[in-house]
Amino acid sequence: MPDDPRQDPQRAAKHSGDGETRGTVLVALLANVVIAAAKVVGGVVAASPALLSEAAHSVADSLNEVFLLASLSRSRRRPDARHPFGYGKERYFWSMLAAVGIFVTGGCFSFYQGLHTLLGPGGANTEAYPVVYVVLLVALAAEGSSLLRAARQVYRQARRLGRSFGRQLREGDDPTVRTVVAEDSTAVLGVLLAIAGVWLHQATGRPGWEGVASLAIALLLMYVAYRLGRDAKDLLVGQAADPALQREAYRFLSRQAEIDTVGQLLTMRLGMDSALLAARVDLYRGLDSEDLEEVSGRIKRELHEQCPQFDQVFLDIADADREARRRAERHRAELDGAERERAERERAARPPDSPGAPEG
């Protein structure tokens, strides 16, 4: 394989996607660093619990963006003797750390700040609250801009794959972009909650409203951290490849002239665009050992060409018994039915101006 990505279209596409993702993360990092500094200053000047909670939120997001930037370069390292399947799961590990950072740095501090305000409210300097509003509105604009950039990247990916925006956000291969979208969405909601808490404090004279806003921000951060952590855990443990990709590989193997039955097909995602496939197949009689080796090598090579994501392919050649054949027939029927349903859903969800969309 060429060392220069420009000589390999597949690697060039991967590096191009990483470049776009890196730009998205850098924009989010720059926005969060500036906003965190402004929130800390404004929160200390006005003694605003809600703004200090938002400052902790921005600090957590800034740290997380550093984690995500590290994952982009580390996950692209080549396989070696200690990691023969590569380093693709680094992205999932650093996404898990980002989720822990959101929970601990953002959620726990905001929870403490909210309880401290509710149980022992101090005197806030409401005369300085114009500064708080300015900081929060600037933060809203910056976080919104970062969110729009990340959302545009998800939308472009969704259009390229013929998916809806929501499905791409849930099932997309890149956990880095999904984490940025989750962080920025939470940041926008957190700023709105902080504005509501500050306004209610001023309107009623009760600082407890800011404590309530801090607790709401804490619960929001903890929920987002839980969801991100759960997704990263599933990928780290070993999640199967996309069902559509599994069906494509199964159909390819079933069409091979030398294969009688595909008894079992197992997959596991190894990284953002890397997966392992292990299939148990029964070949037709009459192949000698030399032919067997040649056929096996050809099938692996052509399967990788058709489904490039499967860069690790293993074939276990074994005789299929009657039960295995029945399972294979049921599996084939299920895949065909699932494929028809998926195609119908994709046509219904596809934007009207996308290629292949149904005409109105």
Side-chain angles (χ1 to χ4, degrees), residues 152-202:
R152 280 198 299 268
Q153 183 173 347
V154 174
Y155 179 71
R156 284 193 295 268
Q157 293 171 346
R159 283 178 60 88
R160 188 163 59 246
L161 297 173
R163 291 175 173 176
S164 66
F165 179 88
R167 185 182 173 204
Q168 178 63 23
L169 195 58
R170 292 190 306 271
E171 303 176 10
D173 291 335
D174 193 349
T176 305
V177 177
R178 183 163 56 248
T179 302
V180 173
V181 171
E183 287 180 352
D184 289 343
S185 301
T186 308
V188 169
L189 290 175
V191 170
L192 294 175
L193 288 171
I195 290 174
V198 169
W199 181 81
L200 287 170
H201 176 190
Q202 279 194 303

Side-chain angles (χ1 to χ4, degrees), residues 60 63-64 67-68 70 90-105 179 183 225 228-229 232 236:
L63 182 62
N64 294 339
F67 289 158
L68 297 178
E90 286 258 11
R91 291 211 185 190
Y92 310 146
F93 169 74
W94 291 101
S95 295
M96 173 70 81
L97 285 188
V100 173
I102 293 173
F103 186 91
V104 175
T105 309
T179 302
E183 287 180 352
L228 290 174
L236 282 170

Side-chain angles (χ1 to χ4, degrees), residues 110-175:
S110 297
F111 193 79
Y112 161 78
Q113 193 70 32
L115 284 182
H116 177 73
T117 304
L118 288 174
L119 298 179
N125 182 15
T126 54
E127 293 181 358
Y129 267 31
V131 175
V132 174
Y133 285 117
V134 170
V135 170
L136 288 174
L137 290 175
V138 170
L140 184 63
E143 298 286 9
S145 300
S146 178
L147 175 60
L148 285 176
R149 179 188 171 96
R152 280 198 299 268
Q153 183 173 347
V154 174
Y155 179 71
R156 284 193 295 268
Q157 293 171 346
R159 283 178 60 88
R160 188 163 59 246
L161 297 173
R163 291 175 173 176
S164 66
F165 179 88
R167 185 182 173 204
Q168 178 63 23
L169 195 58
R170 292 190 306 271
E171 303 176 10
D173 291 335
D174 193 349

Side-chain angles (χ1 to χ4, degrees), residues 301-317:
R301 184 173 60 254
E302 292 180 359
L303 175 59
H304 175 64
E305 290 173 357
Q306 179 158 336
C307 305
Q309 226 174 340
F310 288 126
D311 47 11
Q312 300 289 342
V313 179
F314 300 90
L315 296 181
D316 178 22
I317 299 172

